[in-house]
Amino acid sequence: MFEKILIANRGEIACRVIKTARKMGIKTVAVYSDADKHALHVEMADEAVHIGPPPANQSYIVIDKIMDAIAKTGAQAVHPGYGFLSENPKFAQALEKASVAFIGPPVKAIEAMGDKITSKKIAQEAGVSTVPGYMGLIEDADEAVKISNEIGYPVMIKASAGGGGKGMRIAWNDAEAREGFQSSKNEAASSFGDDRIFIEKFVTQPRHIEIQVLCDAHGNGIYLNERECSIQRRNQKVVEEAPSPFLDEATRKAMGEQAVALANAVGYASAGTVEFIVDGEKNFYFLEMNTRLQVEHPVTELITGVDLVEQMIRVANGEPLSITQDDVKINGWAIENRLYAEDPYRNFLPSIGRLTRYRPPEEGKLGEGVVRNDTGVFEGGEISMYYDPMIAKLCTWGPTREAAIEVMRNALDSFEVEGIGHNLPFVAAVMDHPKFISGDMTTAFIAEEYPDGFDGVTLDEAQLKRVAAAAAAMNRVAEIRRTRVTGRLGNHERRVGAEWNVSLQDTSFDVTIDADQKGATISFAEGGTMRVEGAWTPGQSLAWMTVDGAPLVLKVDKIIQGFRLRTRGADLKVHVRSPRQAELARLMPEKQAPDTSKLLLCPMPGLIVKIDVEEGQEVQEGQALCTVEAMKMENILRAEKKGVVSKINAGPGDSLRVDDVIMEFE
């Protein structure tokens, strides 16, 4: 076995590989850029080598710098993680030339699967189901109709040189195929100067389901079931689970066997993933093969008990697989939520900065399930603009899908992240969405269910009453503590009343509290009672409560006359007042938000790259005003309506915070 391996990566995946290497008794070498000098993976590794400036193209993806680190440390093998150099055949070749083991597949497999056309051709030859289509030149509408019938409706008519949706039509019958062919041809000619058209099967109700394969260099190959990855935003996976709630055993077996056949066809040896698109009738079609460890591999590990990183290391060491297909079972259900430094309230714009608070839920048993958190950050650490905005991958396991979801809900509610914008409220909302709970989702889930973006969660009345009951009980604890403050005036004893008003989310409840040593019974004036128990002390940022026998996890911040409580994706200002205070509060005018309609505000922390307008210039709706760079992505800010620029407050090179005023309008 290898004595020392180098991890050519950073962040959570580098930490993940180090954990398994440590378990196997293998020493590890981390590489790091200037930005990652104090990163968690550097601290965890046995050795660390500096490889350059923060930009990845000057550090993590410079092959020569990785090779120098290998030479300095005497590492015998390299794990590439995912991203960066993981699917770069030149890197694998450089390692081979230096007689260093690549903990990944052979060079030829990487090359074959890295080319879309070649991979599809190999898949067809290996008997893998691919999307039916006609890639040749189509002469006229009659031929288009004939081909469409051979493929089977519905079909997608596409411009060969297309992009951005131009030259694209969906046809459900002969008439639409005839009309769509001519329209696509004309549009393609005018948009791209190329009127070539091809036709392929249009997959309805598409789901993204992938098969995990594992092969060795001795001709053995197995599949470790599937992962459902349909909940995506802009082709970026957000929620994954294993197994899929959609597949039956026969479809799973067929997909798995085809995935292994494809791996065998390219002489694959390592862990890899074959991705499929699956329609509503369980017809599946090959998309691509990822010749590396997938981000979402933990859910497969949780339901199979197989450590994929360990298997990759053993295969790279020349060992045959120690498990057969018959050994692979499905034990329970696992779900993964990707926690990103993206602000869902600002259309998921990147959010960079320091993690002033980072307290993930404790790993291990929670309720009837298990929590696992793969992360590469720590409290006080910084989310850098130079790399992927992932904070953590929160995974849960349960004996059933329902149990895994419930464990995930409580784990998300107890996950404390402060200092940056993050998508935790959004994934918490997904866990409660009826369509997700039913398992009936497609790749269009986010676009269909959140067409106008995410603006928070509105709790229903039943949930509000549970939160109100908990807040009333917590407020009583805080009030009693306040009565015990030392240094009070004599003869001024303060009594805590039993009647209170709890207001939250534009709803108000009058309640009476009957407390005892174990908790409190909350009676609602409108009828009904709730029993609240839990160990919360004023000042604690997390409250684990039980309301009517069911757990309720709350993130807690103090505000005047109440709390800011966060649970299930909702962010609530909860005021707990005496009846007289509530009466007076209702008379107070509401504070109006400032009018920012004539201001262009910076939507994220970033750098001004370019200003496209001048003071005094008239701008039209949709016109580019400036470009802001964050996390190496350029974001063009456009005018929302017609107007005249009256003042420009920032210029190229300026570093701005969220809501800094870039320019003003008349």
Side-chain angles (χ1 to χ4, degrees):
M1 179 50 68
F2 307 119
E3 294 179 6
K4 184 188 291 187
I5 65 172
L6 181 142
I7 298 111
N9 217 300
R10 63 174 300 281
E12 69 85 13
I13 189 58
C15 297
R16 162 73 189 90
V17 175
I18 290 170
K19 286 178 182 177
T20 286
R22 187 181 289 166
K23 183 181 73 175
M24 297 175 70
I26 302 171
K27 291 186 176 180
T28 54
V29 179
V31 292
Y32 66 94
S33 70
D34 291 340
D36 281 338
K37 184 178 180 180
H38 303 293
L40 189 60
H41 75 281
V42 175
E43 182 184 323
M44 288 178 64
D46 297 296
E47 298 176 59
V49 180
H50 176 250
I51 55 171
N57 60 7
Q58 297 176 43
S59 51
Y60 290 106
I61 60 174
V62 180
I63 293 174
D64 288 346
K65 291 189 175 183
I66 303 296
M67 298 307 295
D68 285 345
I70 294 167
K72 282 179 186 175
T73 58
Q76 301 154 306
V78 173
H79 197 299
Y82 53 74
F84 292 155
L85 296 170
S86 62
E87 294 179 283
N88 187 322
K90 290 181 180 177
F91 180 52
Q93 287 169 343
L95 292 173
E96 191 177 320
K97 189 176 179 181
S99 299
V100 175
F102 179 60
I103 304 175
V107 174
K108 288 184 178 179
I110 298 173
E111 290 176 333
M113 292 295 101
D115 181 271
K116 302 290 185 197
I117 296 172
T118 302
S119 64
K120 188 171 182 179
K121 185 179 177 183
I122 293 171
Q124 288 173 332
E125 291 172 353
V128 179
S129 175
T130 57
V131 178
Y134 184 83
M135 304 298 288
L137 187 65
I138 301 171
E139 293 293 338
D140 53 33
D142 289 336
E143 188 180 2
V145 169
K146 181 184 175 186
I147 291 167
S148 298
N149 277 284
E150 289 172 356
I151 295 171
Y153 291 109
V155 297
M156 176 83 79
I157 301 168
K158 287 170 134 179
S160 182
K166 293 183 176 68
M168 185 184 296
R169 296 288 187 280
I170 298 169
W172 296 80
N173 53 49
D174 289 356
E176 290 182 2
R178 190 178 300 279
E179 181 184 299
F181 172 80
Q182 198 56 53
S183 296
S184 293
K185 196 174 180 70
N186 294 342
E187 206 169 277
S190 61
S191 297
F192 315 112
D194 183 344
D195 68 354
R196 289 177 302 157
I197 298 296
F198 70 93
I199 300 176
E200 66 182 17
K201 180 76 173 175
F202 176 65
V203 179
T204 57
Q205 299 175 287
R207 300 174 78 115
H208 185 132
I209 299 176
E210 58 193 29
I211 300 290
Q212 176 72 58
V213 296
L214 183 62
C215 305
D216 62 24
H218 304 276
N220 303 307
I222 60 173
Y223 62 92
L224 288 87
N225 306 311
E226 80 283 359
R227 295 184 288 260
E228 171 83 54
C229 307
S230 295
I231 297 184
Q232 307 175 0
R233 192 185 65 80
R234 295 175 189 164
N235 298 317
Q236 181 188 65
K237 298 166 188 171
V238 179
V239 179
E240 298 101 350
E241 60 182 301
S244 166
F246 184 63
L247 293 193
D248 52 46
E249 187 54 45
T251 309
R252 174 179 297 116
K253 187 172 186 288
M255 291 175 72
E257 289 175 350
Q258 289 192 20
V260 172
L262 177 61
N264 290 337
V266 292
Y268 202 86
S270 192
T273 299
V274 181
E275 302 195 345
F276 293 93
I277 196 83
V278 185
D279 70 15
E281 301 299 318
K282 295 188 173 68
N283 299 305
F284 57 89
Y285 308 102
F286 170 74
L287 276 178
E288 62 180 343
M289 183 175 189
N290 294 123
T291 55
R292 56 172 169 79
L293 190 67
Q294 289 283 91
V295 176
E296 57 273 18
H297 75 274
V299 291
T300 296
E301 295 182 328
L302 285 169
I303 66 163
T304 61
V306 176
D307 184 326
L308 289 169
V309 174
E310 178 182 347
Q311 293 301 318
M312 291 178 77
I313 293 171
R314 293 193 181 282
V315 168
N317 191 47
E319 298 178 23
L321 293 182
S322 59
I323 48 178
T324 66
Q325 192 63 60
D326 289 340
D327 296 325
V328 179
K329 309 296 181 187
I330 297 178
N331 175 30
W333 214 283
I335 294 173
E336 174 180 297
N337 278 310
R338 299 190 189 188
L339 184 57
Y340 284 114
E342 296 175 339
D343 191 339
Y345 303 108
R346 294 175 179 268
N347 198 27
F348 297 92
L349 287 170
S351 179
I352 58 177
R354 194 164 299 284
L355 287 163
T356 57
R357 190 172 186 85
Y358 180 73
R359 306 282 173 87
E362 188 175 343
E363 293 190 87
K365 192 165 177 57
L366 177 62
E368 59 176 326
V370 172
V371 174
R372 167 176 168 174
N373 187 52
D374 284 19
T375 189
V377 302
F378 56 92
E379 187 167 293
E382 192 173 356
I383 302 297
S384 169
M385 65 183 285
Y386 296 102
Y387 311 116
D388 183 274
M390 184 182 287
I391 300 170
K393 300 182 317 198
L394 182 64
C395 307
T396 59
W397 175 91
T400 63
R401 186 170 187 265
E402 293 73 20
I405 292 172
E406 185 59 27
V407 175
M408 177 61 77
R409 288 170 180 150
N410 290 325
L412 287 168
D413 282 344
S414 62
F415 203 138
E416 299 180 77
V417 183
E418 305 292 347
I420 58 167
H422 53 79
N423 70 332
L424 201 154
F426 175 71
V427 292
V430 171
M431 293 299 102
D432 272 336
H433 197 287
K435 190 169 277 191
F436 172 75
I437 293 169
S438 72
D440 182 24
M441 62 270 186
T442 70
T443 53
F445 173 86
I446 291 178
E448 289 176 353
E449 302 304 320
Y450 301 94
D452 301 318
F454 178 76
D455 56 5
V457 170
T458 301
L459 298 182
D460 61 30
E461 187 173 352
Q463 290 174 304
L464 281 180
K465 287 185 79 168
R466 297 184 75 233
V467 174
M474 291 163 62
N475 183 71
R476 183 181 181 280
V477 171
E479 285 290 315
I480 289 173
R481 187 178 190 181
R482 282 190 277 272
T483 66
R484 295 172 179 167
V485 173
T486 58
R488 293 170 296 161
L489 291 172
N491 301 317
H492 282 75
E493 184 177 354
R494 182 179 173 189
R495 295 180 181 276
V496 178
E499 295 185 354
W500 297 88
N501 175 271
V502 184
S503 62
L504 68 169
Q505 196 180 280
D506 299 324
T507 306
S508 180
F509 299 103
D510 290 318
V511 302
T512 302
I513 304 175
D514 180 16
D516 54 52
Q517 288 186 339
K518 292 184 178 180
T521 299
I522 313 298
S523 300
F524 290 84
E526 63 188 36
T529 63
M530 286 188 174
R531 178 68 182 173
V532 179
E533 295 180 358
W536 176 78
T537 303
Q540 287 183 336
S541 59
L542 204 61
W544 286 85
M545 312 296 286
T546 301
V547 181
D548 267 3
L552 177 65
V553 185
L554 301 166
K555 296 187 188 77
V556 185
D557 291 297
K558 186 75 183 80
I559 62 173
I560 295 172
Q561 293 185 335
F563 310 95
R564 177 193 178 197
L565 300 178
R566 285 169 286 172
T567 186
R568 295 294 179 91
D571 194 335
L572 306 163
K573 282 187 177 180
V574 185
H575 291 104
V576 187
R577 302 180 174 109
S578 68
R580 178 57 176 161
Q581 288 172 332
E583 182 184 344
L584 294 173
R586 283 191 279 268
L587 301 175
M588 293 292 289
E590 284 196 26
K591 184 179 179 181
Q592 298 297 315
D595 181 11
T596 59
S597 61
K598 293 186 178 181
L599 304 175
L600 176 66
L601 305 178
C602 191
M604 74 207 89
L607 192 74
I608 297 288
V609 176
K610 184 171 63 168
I611 298 289
D612 295 295
V613 294
E614 300 174 349
E615 289 183 1
Q617 180 178 337
E618 183 177 278
V619 297
Q620 305 298 319
E621 182 181 348
Q623 183 175 339
L625 301 174
C626 69
T627 303
V628 179
E629 182 185 280
M631 289 186 173
K632 289 302 172 189
M633 291 179 63
E634 291 194 351
N635 302 274
I636 299 173
L637 306 186
R638 301 181 183 276
E640 294 182 356
K641 58 185 177 181
K642 183 178 178 180
V644 177
V645 180
S646 62
K647 187 180 179 184
I648 296 176
N649 300 314
D654 288 350
S655 183
L656 303 183
R657 297 166 301 180
V658 173
D659 287 341
D660 277 355
V661 179
I662 300 173
M663 63 183 70
E664 302 172 26
F665 302 91
E666 292 180 2

